Amino acid sequence: MKNADASNGLRCAISGASLTRREAVPIALVRPELAAHIRKEHPELQPDAVISRATLDQYRGRMVEELLHEERGELTDLEKDVVASLASHDIISQDVESEADERRTFGERAADLVAQFGGSWSFIIAFAAFAFIWMGINLVWASATFDPYPFILLNLVLSCLAAIQAPIIMMSQGRKEAKDRLRAQSDYRVNLKAELEIRHLHEKIDHMLLKQWDRLAEIQKIQLDLLQELAESRGMRKAPKPVESPPSST
């Protein structure tokens, strides 16, 4: 079937490659803005010429890149990736959470666990129980006193714990901020591509509607011509024949 389609003689007017019916796109069906962009480089294109979908996607990507450059100025690498994905029809949405978790080192995993436990009620209850037991031992059992009031050793333990816990939590928060930045970049890529695709669809639908109205107008004109010819033919059939006068007697 593919060989049969390739033997139809369809060739891309730009690259010269042989095309199947599915790969061929008539230049007349391309929306005017994109067609004008293609004719800037190839003014020799005929109205009945066909081009490949891959070539059309390339020129579409170039046009989108020029439009973004006019609207936003210099394009970032992220925006260039979005333009490239438009031409190659790639999916750019990513699961940032899973990818970031898979790349975590042992230290980052430990920092996340410490930050998760340090910000929970389990840590608060456990630490309160530990402090009360410490103070109770030193207040109730005089023989076992190792840190008498005002509990200088307990204050030292608390200070050391806070000094160690704070940077670990900051490490975890920094990694979460980096993950949030990656998530924001992914959302921006997806939103930008969706915006460009929607704009392209609007222009394509408008172009298709205009083409459809032109075809409907042509069909209506043909129908009116047929009705007029039919009415004229019926009028000629129903026209009365002239009455011949009888011959005069001499």
Side-chain angles (χ1 to χ4, degrees), residues 240-248:
K241 296 182 179 179
V243 180
E244 297 182 357
S245 58
S248 59

Side-chain angles (χ1 to χ4, degrees), residues 38-95:
I38 297 175
R39 291 184 186 277
K40 286 182 181 179
E41 297 185 9
H42 301 277
E44 73 280 1
L45 288 179
Q46 301 297 325
D48 57 346
V50 295
I51 59 176
S52 64
R53 292 187 180 275
T55 303
L56 183 64
D57 291 335
Q58 291 178 0
Y59 279 95
R60 179 189 171 199
R62 293 181 190 175
M63 189 182 71
V64 170
E65 186 173 357
E66 292 178 2
L67 291 176
L68 286 177
H69 190 275
E70 293 176 359
E71 295 177 358
R72 305 169 184 261
E74 189 67 25
L75 298 183
T76 62
D77 294 336
L78 187 146
E79 292 171 342
K80 291 180 180 179
D81 292 340
V82 173
V83 174
S85 68
L86 286 173
S88 58
H89 301 284
D90 291 335
I91 297 176
I92 61 175
S93 58
Q94 299 176 351
D95 188 1

Side-chain angles (χ1 to χ4, degrees), residues 71-72 190-200:
E71 295 177 358
R72 305 169 184 261
V190 174
N191 293 335
L192 179 60
K193 184 175 182 180
E195 180 182 354
L196 295 174
E197 289 285 2
I198 291 172
R199 181 189 298 181
H200 170 69

Side-chain angles (χ1 to χ4, degrees), residues 17-203:
S18 59
L19 304 174
T20 62
R21 293 188 181 275
R22 291 185 177 182
E23 296 172 346
V25 179
I27 193 67
L29 297 181
V30 179
R31 53 196 176 97
E33 292 82 2
L34 184 55
H37 183 78
I38 297 175
R39 291 184 186 277
K40 286 182 181 179
E41 297 185 9
H42 301 277
E44 73 280 1
L45 288 179
Q46 301 297 325
D48 57 346
V50 295
I51 59 176
S52 64
R53 292 187 180 275
T55 303
L56 183 64
D57 291 335
Q58 291 178 0
Y59 279 95
R60 179 189 171 199
R62 293 181 190 175
M63 189 182 71
V64 170
E65 186 173 357
E66 292 178 2
L67 291 176
L68 286 177
H69 190 275
E70 293 176 359
E71 295 177 358
R72 305 169 184 261
E74 189 67 25
L75 298 183
T76 62
D77 294 336
L78 187 146
E79 292 171 342
K80 291 180 180 179
D81 292 340
V82 173
V83 174
S85 68
L86 286 173
S88 58
H89 301 284
D90 291 335
I91 297 176
I92 61 175
S93 58
Q94 299 176 351
D95 188 1
V96 179
E97 295 286 340
S98 299
E99 293 181 1
D101 291 339
E102 291 176 358
R103 293 196 300 265
R104 284 190 305 175
T105 62
F106 175 78
E108 292 175 343
R109 295 177 186 273
D112 291 340
L113 290 175
V114 171
Q116 184 179 1
F117 178 71
S120 64
W121 279 105
S122 300
F123 172 77
I124 295 175
I125 294 172
F127 186 78
F130 169 78
F132 282 123
I133 293 173
W134 182 297
M135 290 184 289
I137 292 174
N138 288 278
L139 290 175
V140 175
W141 291 280
S143 60
T145 299
F146 59 91
D147 185 21
Y149 182 84
F151 313 114
I152 297 175
L153 182 58
L154 179 61
N155 290 329
L156 178 61
V157 172
L158 293 177
S159 300
C160 293
L161 180 62
I164 295 174
Q165 189 180 21
I168 293 177
I169 293 176
M170 291 178 64
M171 286 165 44
S172 178
Q173 292 298 323
R175 198 186 69 80
K176 289 183 178 180
E177 290 178 0
K179 187 190 297 184
D180 292 338
R181 285 194 297 270
L182 292 175
R183 188 184 299 110
Q185 291 178 357
S186 178
D187 293 341
Y188 175 72
R189 267 198 300 264
V190 174
N191 293 335
L192 179 60
K193 184 175 182 180
E195 180 182 354
L196 295 174
E197 289 285 2
I198 291 172
R199 181 189 298 181
H200 170 69
L201 287 176
H202 277 297
E203 295 175 354

Side-chain angles (χ1 to χ4, degrees), residues 6-22:
S7 63
N8 289 324
L10 295 176
R11 289 189 174 275
C12 178
I14 296 177
S15 63
S18 59
L19 304 174
T20 62
R21 293 188 181 275
R22 291 185 177 182

